[in-house]
Amino acid sequence: MLLVEDEPDQAAILEAVLRHEGLDVVVASSGEQALEIHQRTPADVLVTDLNLPGMTGVDLMRRLSPGELDGPEPKTPPPAVVMVTGAASITSAVDALKLGAADYLQKPLDPARLVLLVRQLLFDGPAREFVEGEDDDPLHGQLVFEGMIGGSARMREVFTRIERVAATMAPVLIVGESGTGKELVARAIHNRSRRRAGPFVPVHTGAIPRELIGSELFGHEKGSFTGAFAAAEGKFEAAAGGTVFLDEVGTMDAAVQVSLLRVLETYRFTRVGGRKEIEADVRVVAATNKDLLDLVDDCVFREDLYYRLNVFTVTLPPLRERREDILPIAERFLLKFAKRYGTPARRLTDAAVERLTEHDWPGNVRELRNVIEQTALFASSEMVSANDVQLGQGRIERRSGRRAYDSVASQRTAAPVVPPEPTEPLSVPLVHPADMAVPSDPAPSHAVVAQPPPPSVGPASLPRRPQEGSIPDAESPRDAGEAGEHPLVLRLPVGTRLADAERKLILLTLEAVRGNKQRAARVLGISRRGLYSKLQAYGEHVGGHEAQGPSESAEPHDPVDDVPVVTDEPSLEELGSARGDA
């Protein structure tokens, strides 16, 4: 992915977060530099700031669109674009959506949300996955339908249902496990409808903080909540004349479910904090990897909204239930990635095919795509043998990495906590870090998350048995765990002293910026002098020239350092002496 950010502090931290997730990140500080990098090495995803020196983010997006690049028509498709914007320029970001941007994020960025969005763009993949030789491939041309490959009876039924519903305005609910290609189905419905000339606006509801979903969908008026410095359009307004794709609708907050139900009933909505009704000239396509009826039984999802969304259902079968499609999909991916990386792999041996078809593929097509991409890189000859098939490599590395980090995290958070003595087992629900974020005062780069006590061992802690007909959600716990186990996310147990929490946050921030105290002070929102005082109080080594203030030649002068820090709170030494007197 290509990250375009002109603020070096923000770029350094985002690059560290994204590289830890295994992404190949290239950083550019201007639109002109990004354009030059992309011409040499095309990017799959572009994350760019809207306001850049010289060429703006929108200008860069236009230059990267087909027909705008100098020279012959590029063989690779344009990258998926994520626009980063401040509160005062959300309207411009919505304009970028209309030009084809996949999504936009508002500053200050939440690293966990950015990682999740980039992953979805890379692995869920828009319909440009098979742009190269889409229908000209004599081997697979008859099996390809709007970027999807399927010759099985189950997939032919899916294609038939898409063709029947595409020409209507009926809401569609797409149901399937993670990695089955729900967004591809949504795009196929849009591309074959009368709204194909309008925008297709995907909304990943699971990647949006719960308290901001209403604003993201319907927009907001100036002053409607803390941080709403200007009025802004939502995704429904951005998709006027086109299609809104609501991914993972089972994660929506109850208040937003009520608003969405009203939109589906009247096709009119009101911005957050506004009174004027706006017409919703959109078609709604929703997707879920959960059984919504189970959520209805648990009083998590509204039953009336379920029936409004479920006017027409497209159910995607998992890959293990259409094994005859594994070989054509694998061959298509093998040719695609061998051509991209310039490797000799071209055909699968019978033993390799047998190994692929015997696997259960819990990650479905997304997992198959990843395995074949690794195989295309690993194979050394035209014929790919069974030993060349890279099954299980990523899972082994990820699990071992998780165990290694758990051991480090346990050392970092080994603060003594004296738990109470309850008379019966205590059950504390887990809280995702995104649910604890406060919009008015978000953390600049790190999140401090309270660690709940371990659950008691008993019947209540046993895994819930899935009901018949429900859709297993194999990836949700993994995604939630990874968001909290990132080495740049600070996890603290309940009972940690505030002074200890501050010390851990400061030291972790210094580690993230590689010891650059000027950069760490800016990220933390304090002066360098204040940072040096805190480090000295913690017993950390600070050079004499640093304690007196950095020289002009070492680092540029920061006017904030000249402002004295005045506080009415007693220091730790004063509290200690007062306690001794008492």
Side-chain angles (χ1 to χ4, degrees), residues 43-65:
D44 296 307
V45 175
L46 169 69
V47 179
T48 177
D49 199 342
L50 179 63
N51 298 315
L52 294 170
M55 184 188 300
T56 66
V58 174
D59 294 336
L60 173 61
M61 194 174 110
R62 286 176 177 154
R63 292 289 301 275
L64 293 178
S65 61

Side-chain angles (χ1 to χ4, degrees), residues 158-468:
V158 169
F159 299 157
T160 300
R161 295 183 69 84
I162 291 174
E163 288 182 329
R164 287 182 180 178
V165 77
T168 70
M169 270 289 292
V172 180
L173 179 63
I174 306 169
V175 181
E177 296 181 9
S178 295
T180 51
K182 295 186 289 294
E183 185 169 342
L184 285 175
V185 173
R187 289 181 180 271
I189 293 172
H190 172 75
N191 293 339
R192 291 178 176 258
S193 71
R194 290 172 291 181
R195 293 176 167 264
R196 55 183 172 272
F200 177 87
V201 179
V203 183
H204 303 286
T205 56
I208 303 175
R210 184 171 301 173
E211 63 275 6
L212 296 180
I213 292 181
S215 173
E216 290 278 348
L217 293 180
F218 310 118
H220 62 262
E221 298 293 345
K222 180 179 179 181
S224 56
F225 56 86
T226 304
F229 302 110
E233 292 182 343
K235 298 298 178 68
F236 273 78
E237 289 181 77
T243 303
V244 169
F245 172 54
L246 302 177
D247 196 9
E248 304 307 336
V249 291
T251 62
M252 284 194 301
D253 187 66
V256 182
Q257 292 182 33
V258 175
S259 301
L260 181 59
L261 176 64
R262 186 172 182 277
V263 172
L264 293 176
E265 289 177 343
T266 65
Y267 280 89
R268 302 185 69 83
F269 65 92
T270 305
R271 289 182 178 180
V272 175
R275 297 182 179 180
K276 179 182 177 182
E277 283 194 334
I278 303 172
E279 182 179 357
D281 181 19
V282 298
R283 180 185 193 165
V284 177
V285 178
T288 178
N289 64 354
K290 302 179 184 295
D291 193 324
L292 293 184
L293 285 177
D294 285 347
L295 300 182
V296 170
D297 294 339
D298 296 337
C299 299
V300 176
F301 199 82
R302 294 181 61 95
E303 185 176 10
D304 46 5
L305 177 58
Y306 168 77
Y307 289 115
R308 283 291 181 181
L309 291 173
N310 195 24
V311 175
F312 191 91
T313 307
V314 177
T315 302
L316 282 173
L319 191 56
R320 61 183 174 273
E321 294 181 5
R322 52 183 186 109
R323 294 185 181 273
E324 58 267 41
D325 291 334
I326 293 177
L327 178 57
I329 295 175
E331 289 178 337
R332 185 64 176 257
F333 279 137
L334 184 65
L335 293 175
K336 172 189 174 78
F337 292 120
K339 182 178 180 181
R340 172 181 294 183
Y341 298 120
T343 59
R346 289 297 181 272
R347 296 177 58 192
L348 297 166
T349 63
D350 293 341
V353 172
E354 183 179 359
R355 187 176 182 191
L356 290 173
T357 54
E358 288 179 350
H359 187 59
D360 282 339
W361 301 107
N364 295 294
V365 180
R366 182 188 304 159
E367 181 186 0
L368 177 59
R369 179 187 188 276
N370 181 260
V371 168
I372 297 301
E373 184 172 9
Q374 294 185 49
T375 301
L377 287 168
F378 182 77
S380 57
S381 62
E382 180 179 348
M383 297 298 295
V384 177
S385 66
N387 293 331
D388 292 332
V389 177
Q390 300 296 290
L391 268 175
Q393 296 298 320
R395 178 170 296 180
I396 293 173
E397 293 175 2
R398 187 178 64 81
R399 285 181 175 174
S400 62
R402 175 177 292 181
R403 286 197 297 269
Y405 177 71
D406 286 343
S407 61
V408 175
S410 62
Q411 296 175 5
R412 286 183 177 179
T413 60
V417 179
V418 181
E421 298 181 6
T423 56
E424 58 184 22
L426 178 64
S427 176
V428 179
L430 293 177
V431 180
H432 192 278
D435 295 339
M436 302 178 63
V438 181
S440 60
D441 190 17
S445 302
H446 310 289
V448 182
V449 183
Q451 176 71 40
S456 58
V457 178
S461 63
L462 295 177
R464 179 182 175 184
R465 182 178 180 181
Q467 300 180 7
E468 184 178 359

